[in-house]
Amino acid sequence: MTPDIHPFDIVTYAVPFFILAMIAEMAWARRRAPEAYEPRDTWTSLALGLGSTVAGALTAGVVYAAAMALYQHRVATMPFAWWAWIACFVLDDFNYYWAHRTGHRIRWFWASHVNHHSSQHYNLSTALRQTWTGFFALSFVFRIWPALLGFHPAMLVTVGAVNLVYQFWIHTEAIGRMPRWFEAVFNTPSHHRVHHATNPVYLDRNYAGALIVWDRLFRTFQPELEGERIRYGIVRQLGTFGVMWSVFHEWAGMLKDFAVAPLRYKLAYLLREPGWSHDGSRDTSDRIRDRWREREDGTA
């Protein structure tokens, strides 16, 4: 018999902390960094967060049912012991790294994730820019497969929520660097500022959720550099605070490319990296970085 266990909804309990932290950061920004907050941008972030919450509520049951279906075919049964919770968290964070990396390297998943990067500001409200279309993109498949190993779906949902709450505080410029030992193991504001940057040296780096060790292990780590001022947003900035355009612009562009592309290239416009084109007329992050390196080498 499968035990009747339900996930712990830590995100709901964290909402008061989110609100208080944003108020505190706004107070800091008024004195130290007035450009950190732009009212229209903040309202867009709040609207995106609300929409994501609604979308998640509408689809959570289906995702949980899918995880339970996998759990019925598990090869073992993990206990609800402390060590199993830690193992589940680490495994989920590993899965998050690959889901997040895929979300930047495959256009289909990028279309769902891009709204999180659409702000040209970096503050705690930016953390609320979560996907509306992750269910449609099937991003959840990266996170539920450990049910086959015997981790109860309630554990998977709970540790996933803990990971999400952890990532809230790293969306800030109010915190510089953490102690060296902490920076070596955990994702931090410094590491995540790099991830949100459009500077060529920073593109597609630091995919970590809670543990930066995955980026170090898989060679996608990039430290924040002194003298390299971060430019936030996406390579082709939206130029609008429109909520719907932020959510759906990449889906619209991708499907348009799919519709007009020659037959042999249609799937590539869905499954290749963002910026790829069959005629080479656009720039991927790799091409942007390569050109930057050539310029740097030429001036060295």
Side-chain angles (χ1 to χ4, degrees):
M1 293 289 292
T2 300
D4 185 18
I5 298 170
H6 302 284
F8 178 65
D9 188 10
I10 189 174
V11 175
T12 298
Y13 287 97
V15 168
F17 163 73
F18 293 166
I19 295 172
L20 291 174
M22 282 191 289
I23 292 173
E25 187 188 44
M26 288 177 184
W28 168 85
R30 288 189 64 180
R31 299 192 308 271
R32 302 287 297 275
E35 72 284 355
Y37 273 89
E38 204 286 345
R40 293 170 297 175
D41 181 81
T42 302
W43 280 114
T44 299
S45 295
L46 294 174
L48 289 170
L50 177 61
S52 176
T53 300
V54 172
L58 292 174
T59 58
V62 178
V63 175
Y64 196 78
M68 285 300 299
L70 293 179
Y71 188 68
Q72 303 309 314
H73 300 281
R74 61 193 181 276
V75 297
T77 300
M78 295 295 174
F80 288 84
W82 65 268
W83 61 265
W85 281 99
I86 293 175
C88 188
F89 179 84
V90 173
L91 179 57
D92 179 72
D93 196 63
F94 172 80
N95 291 338
Y96 176 87
Y97 169 86
W98 285 106
H100 195 186
R101 184 169 175 172
T102 303
H104 281 258
R105 302 299 296 173
I106 294 179
R107 194 179 183 188
W108 173 266
F109 294 107
W110 173 244
S112 173
H113 181 59
V114 64
N115 68 300
H116 182 65
H117 287 266
S118 59
S119 175
Q120 292 179 250
H121 300 266
Y122 190 75
N123 54 58
L124 292 175
S125 76
T126 308
L128 305 180
R129 292 188 176 224
Q130 298 297 318
T131 181
W132 291 18
T133 58
F135 176 79
F136 174 74
L138 302 179
S139 302
F140 63 89
V141 299
F142 289 92
R143 310 289 289 278
I144 66 172
W145 70 264
L148 290 171
L149 301 180
F151 291 102
H152 193 281
M155 296 179 73
L156 297 175
V157 173
T158 300
V159 298
V162 171
N163 201 315
L164 182 65
V165 170
Y166 177 89
Q167 291 183 54
F168 175 78
W169 77 279
I170 62 178
H171 290 82
T172 185
E173 293 185 302
I175 299 173
R177 294 184 187 273
M178 303 297 289
R180 183 176 298 179
W181 68 267
F182 196 92
E183 296 268 348
V185 177
F186 295 100
N187 201 3
T188 66
S190 177
H191 297 331
H192 206 57
R193 285 192 289 269
V194 166
H195 178 69
H196 275 257
T198 62
N199 311 48
V201 67
Y202 293 148
L203 283 175
D204 287 351
R205 293 293 182 261
N206 298 4
Y207 298 111
L211 303 174
I212 200 67
V213 293
W214 309 123
D215 285 289
R216 297 183 186 277
L217 179 62
F218 297 113
R219 304 180 68 178
T220 53
F221 176 71
Q222 171 62 51
E224 187 176 13
L225 302 174
E226 297 291 339
E228 181 72 25
R229 182 177 177 82
I230 291 178
R231 301 185 298 275
Y232 297 109
I234 53 181
V235 171
R236 297 179 63 183
Q237 305 289 6
L238 294 184
T240 178
F241 296 106
V243 173
M244 292 302 177
W245 187 240
S246 178
V247 173
F248 296 111
H249 75 277
E250 186 65 20
W251 286 109
M254 180 179 65
L255 295 177
K256 178 181 178 181
D257 288 339
F258 177 84
V260 302
L263 181 61
R264 62 183 295 190
Y265 296 115
K266 285 186 181 296
L267 280 180
Y269 276 101
L270 305 183
L271 302 179
R272 289 291 299 267
E273 62 271 30
W276 179 88
S277 59
H278 71 279
D279 58 3
S281 61
R282 306 177 192 174
D283 286 333
T284 65
S285 60
D286 291 334
R287 288 184 63 181
I288 293 171
R289 187 182 299 106
D290 288 343
R291 284 204 304 268
W292 170 79
R293 284 174 175 163
E294 289 174 1
R295 290 195 300 270
E296 290 293 299
D297 292 342
T299 58

